[in-house]
Amino acid sequence: MQKGLIQFSDVCLDYRLYRDRSVSIMETFMNVFGRKTSREWFRALDHASFQISPGESVALVGSNGAGKSTTLKLLAGIYSPTSGRVETAGRIASLLDLGVGFHPELTGAENVFLNGALLGFDQKKMLDLLPGIAEFAMLERFMDTPVKYYSSGMFMRLGFALATSVDPDILLIDEVLAVGDASFQAKCYDKIFGFREAGKTIVFVSHDPKAVRRLCTRAIWLDSGRARMDGPVDDVLGAYLDANAGKLQKTATSAAPREWGNREVFFSKVTLTDGNGIPTRTFRQGDTLKVNALIETRESREVKNVILGFSIHRPDGETILASNNLENGEPLLTISGSGDASISITPEIVEPGNYLLSISLTGNSTDYHWQDNFYPISLLGAKQIPPLRIDSLSVVEAVTR
Amino acid sequence: MTGGLLLMKSLVEKDLKVRYKRSFLGFLWFLLKPLFSMAVYTIVFTRILRFGGAIEHFSLFLLTGLLPWNFFSASLSASAKTLLDNQKLIRSIYFPRVALPVSSVIANAVHMLMALGVLEILLIAFGHTPNLSLVTLPIAVVLLAVMTSGFCMMISVGNVYYRDVSQFLEMFLLAWFYASPIIYPLGEELIPPGMEAVIRFNPIAGAMEIFHSTMYYGTWPELWAWISLVAWTAVILAAGLLIFKRMEPSVVKEL
C-alpha cells in the first residue's frame, strides 16, 4: 500500500454500555443463573466505509456521538473494529489528546524520550529531534524541569511539538488546536499547513466550520455511525450545517432566549463586563468581553468535570464563535456548593453588529444548564483597525471556592 | 521486535526513576521490607513457635525465600492496577500494551536482583558458601520473572472487568504464601509427606526450591524443581499471552 493511504471498509464498532459501571463477579454469577443484568450495546460505527488517498486533507463532521472520535481512534490503532477492516499505510501521528503519556515526575526531556519509545523511536533518534521539539514548544530552558511544574499551556505545547516532530505520513487531529495562546495556535496551524503542503494525509475532526474550510478540501459527514455524505468540503459542510440549522431554526428565527438542562449545576448569577470589570453590553472590536458567572450546585457531593462553554450567534442563528474550557485545554470545573468562573472573549475579526451570547454548563453527556441566546450584546467597530489575527479565545480563570 | 524491547527498557527506566521520588530512604526500601518481614517471622518461628530452631541461620533461610516471594506478590498486586492507571495513555496512542504489565515485573525483578546480591554476601559471611549451582540461579530468576509476567497479564485484564480481582488477589496471596516453601523447607520431614506432595505442585515451589538450594544450602537443586518451574512457566506464559491478546481489543473500550 502506498504511504498515507487509508482504507476503511464496512467498519462496525460496538461499545458495551453499563447502567452501572461497577459490574461485579456477583453479577456475573447472577447472569449465569438466568437473572440478566442491564447490559446494552451501543453501535458507534455502523458499516462505515471510505477511502482516503495519500495527500488528502479530510474533515470528519457530524454531531456529538456520530462516531468521529471513534473513527480517529480506529485509524490510530487504539481500537480494533468489531467487524470490517481498517487499513492504514505509513507512520501515524495522532493529536488526539496531547501530553497524556507524560509522567509528572519526569523532566521534559525524559518525557520526550519515554514518549518517543511509546511511538517506536530509539534514544538516538529522539536525541536528534529534541532540540527541534524544545524550540517549537518554546521550552528550551525548561527541558530539565519536571513537567509537574509546567503550566497547562507549556504541557500542551510540549505535547504538540512532540507529536508532530516524528515526520508522519498520516496526521490525525481531534480538535486539539486550541493549544496555548493565540500566537502558539497560529504556529500550530502553520505546522499543520506545512504537513499538508508536504503531501501528508490529514484527518481532521472539528466543530469549527471555519477551521474545517481552511484546512480541508474534502469532508465526510458521519451520522449515527454511518458515512452519510462524502465530497468537497463546501458541499458537505453546507449540507451538514443546513441540516443542523433546521434543528436550530425554531429557536433561532424567533431569537427567543431558551433555557434548559437538569440544573444539577446551574448559573445563579451572570454579569457581562468589559476587561476592566465594568458592567456593559456594548463592546468594541478588540476589546475583551468578560462573562462572570456564579455557578452553584444543590448536590451535596462535588460535581466534577463540568464543561463551561460559550457561543456567539448572529441574530439569524449562525454561530460565529464557540469554545469551551475542554476544547481550550483549560481545566474542567469542579463545583461543590458554589463557585465563580469567568470567560474572556476577544472578538477581533467579528463584524460589528448585534449578537446573542449563549453560555452552557455540560458534563460528559449531560446538559446541566444551557442559556441559549440569552445575552444580547452589541459590537462596535474598533477605534483603530486591528491587525488581522486569529480570534483569541481563552477561559482565563476558573476558580471554585 | 527491537521497538518492543526499546519500549520495555524505557518503561522500566521510568518505573525505577519514578518509584522512589520524594522518598527519603529511596532504593533502600527494596531491602528494608523483606528485612522487616524476616525479623517478624524469625521472632514468631524461633521465639514463639520454636519451629525455626531446627534450621541453622533461620533468618537467612527466610530471607532467601522472602526475596523472590516479595518480588512475586508485589508484581501481582501492582499488575491489578497497571492498565487502569494508564488508561488515558492507552486510549490516546497505540503501543503494545502488554509492555505495561511486563515492564513493571522487570522493574521489580531489578530490585530483587539487587537484594539477592546483598543476601548472597550475607550468606557467604555466615558460612553458606555456594557451589557451582549458583550459576544456574539467573536462569531461575528469568523463568520466575516470565511466569510472573504471565500471571500479571491475566490479572491486569481481569481487574479491568471485575475490580473484585484485586481484592480477591490480596486474600489469595496470603494463602499462597503459606502454601509455598518459604517459612519452611521441603524434604526435611518438617511437614507431613502428603502435604509436601501438594505443596510441590504449587507453581512457585520449584523456584523456591532452586533459590534455597543454590543460595542457602549450596547444593544442586533437585530435578523436580526445574521440571516444575519450566513447565509452569510455559503454561502460565501461554495462558497469560492468550488471555491478554484475546481481551485487549475489548479492554481498551472498557477502560
Side-chain angles (χ1 to χ4, degrees), chain B residues 1 15 21 30 37-38 46 72 97 100 121 131 143 154 160 166 173 209 213 227-228 240 244 248 254:
Chain B
M1 193 56 223
D15 199 299
K21 286 261 163 137
F30 75 80
S37 324
M38 177 198 81
T46 62
F72 180 74
R97 286 101 178 194
L100 289 171
I121 293 167
N131 72 357
L143 287 173
M154 299 181 219
V160 172
S166 64
L173 280 172
E209 174 68 15
S213 313
I227 294 171
S228 157
F244 197 93
E248 192 176 355
E254 293 284 329

Side-chain angles (χ1 to χ4, degrees), chain A residues 257-275:
Chain A
R258 213 161 68 94
E259 204 171 4
W260 74 91
N262 65 10
R263 310 256 179 151
E264 230 172 273
V265 187
F266 61 96
F267 295 111
S268 62
K269 187 163 181 280
V270 175
T271 47
L272 270 55
T273 66
D274 64 14

Side-chain angles (χ1 to χ4, degrees), chain A residues 38-76:
Chain A
S38 52
R39 185 166 292 171
E40 294 160 36
W41 294 89
F42 171 69
R43 180 147 280 195
L45 283 178
D46 189 8
H47 300 282
S49 298
F50 57 83
Q51 182 177 331
I52 296 174
S53 310
E56 273 194 295
S57 306
V58 179
L60 299 178
V61 297
S63 46
N64 287 329
K68 305 184 301 278
S69 296
T70 305
T71 303
L72 286 190
K73 287 199 159 127
L74 281 160
L75 292 175

Side-chain angles (χ1 to χ4, degrees), chain A residues 12-14 21 28-29 62 68 84 119 198 216 236 251-252 258 267 290 298 312 317 321 356 379 383 385 389:
Chain A
C12 292
L13 189 104
D14 293 338
R21 291 265 306 189
T28 308
F29 279 127
K68 305 184 301 278
L119 299 167
C216 303
V236 176
T251 54
R258 213 161 68 94
F267 295 111
K290 205 167 172 201
R298 294 207 181 89
I312 294 176
L321 285 176
L356 292 163
L379 189 67
K383 280 182 197 134
I385 309 236
R389 280 202 283 143

Side-chain angles (χ1 to χ4, degrees), chain B residues 7 10 42 54 57 75 107 142 156 169 179 194 200 209 217 219 225 243:
Chain B
L7 171 59
S10 302
T42 305
H57 299 135
S75 300
V142 170
S156 60
L169 180 72
R200 282 187 189 197
E209 174 68 15
Y217 292 110
T219 56
I243 292 176

Side-chain angles (χ1 to χ4, degrees), chain B residues 1-169:
Chain B
M1 193 56 223
T2 51
L5 287 178
L6 166 80
L7 171 59
M8 212 76 92
K9 181 170 155 277
S10 302
L11 287 173
V12 170
E13 276 173 7
K14 177 199 105 177
D15 199 299
L16 295 177
K17 253 184 227 164
V18 165
R19 189 173 307 190
Y20 297 110
K21 286 261 163 137
R22 292 181 175 252
S23 152
F24 178 66
L25 293 170
F27 271 96
L28 277 180
W29 280 113
F30 75 80
L31 262 184
L32 285 174
K33 274 194 258 177
L35 281 175
F36 184 77
S37 324
M38 177 198 81
V40 171
Y41 291 124
T42 305
I43 291 167
V44 170
F45 292 111
T46 62
R47 300 268 178 271
I48 303 172
L49 288 176
R50 311 255 171 167
F51 155 93
I55 300 162
E56 194 196 2
H57 299 135
F58 185 61
S59 308
L60 290 177
F61 174 83
L62 274 174
L63 204 51
T64 312
L66 279 171
L67 293 179
W69 170 261
N70 277 12
F71 155 73
F72 180 74
S73 66
S75 300
L76 262 55
S77 302
S79 72
K81 289 198 303 177
T82 176
L83 294 181
L84 294 172
D85 285 349
N86 289 290
Q87 49 179 301
K88 275 200 88 178
L89 180 62
I90 292 172
R91 282 161 49 184
S92 300
I93 50 176
Y94 175 76
F95 62 96
R97 286 101 178 194
V98 76
L100 289 171
V102 175
S103 65
S104 137
V105 170
I106 296 175
N108 280 324
V110 171
H111 286 113
M112 172 174 66
L113 283 173
M114 288 189 291
L116 286 174
V118 177
L119 172 65
E120 189 51 51
I121 293 167
L122 283 174
L123 283 166
I124 292 169
F126 283 91
H128 293 262
T129 329
N131 72 357
L132 202 61
S133 67
L134 191 65
V135 299
T136 61
L137 185 67
I139 304 170
V141 170
V142 170
L143 287 173
L144 177 64
V146 172
M147 190 204 305
T148 308
S149 302
F151 277 120
C152 289
M153 289 172 205
M154 299 181 219
I155 293 164
S156 60
V157 226
N159 201 52
V160 172
Y161 283 92
Y162 304 110
R163 304 295 142 90
D164 319 55
V165 167
S166 64
Q167 306 288 341
F168 182 73
L169 180 72

Side-chain angles (χ1 to χ4, degrees), chain A residues 304-361:
Chain A
K304 286 187 181 157
N305 299 331
V306 178
I307 302 166
L308 172 64
F310 77 91
S311 52
I312 294 176
H313 309 272
R314 280 210 309 251
D316 64 7
E318 191 180 333
T319 307
I320 305 296
L321 285 176
S323 189
N324 60 47
N325 50 352
L326 180 68
E327 275 180 20
N328 253 7
E330 309 273 343
L332 302 184
L333 306 183
T334 300
I335 309 290
S336 59
S338 69
D340 289 315
S342 67
I343 307 168
S344 287
I345 309 161
T346 312
E348 277 181 1
I349 55 168
V350 176
E351 298 275 311
N354 290 324
Y355 295 95
L356 292 163
L357 173 75
S358 304
I359 52 176
S360 63
L361 291 168

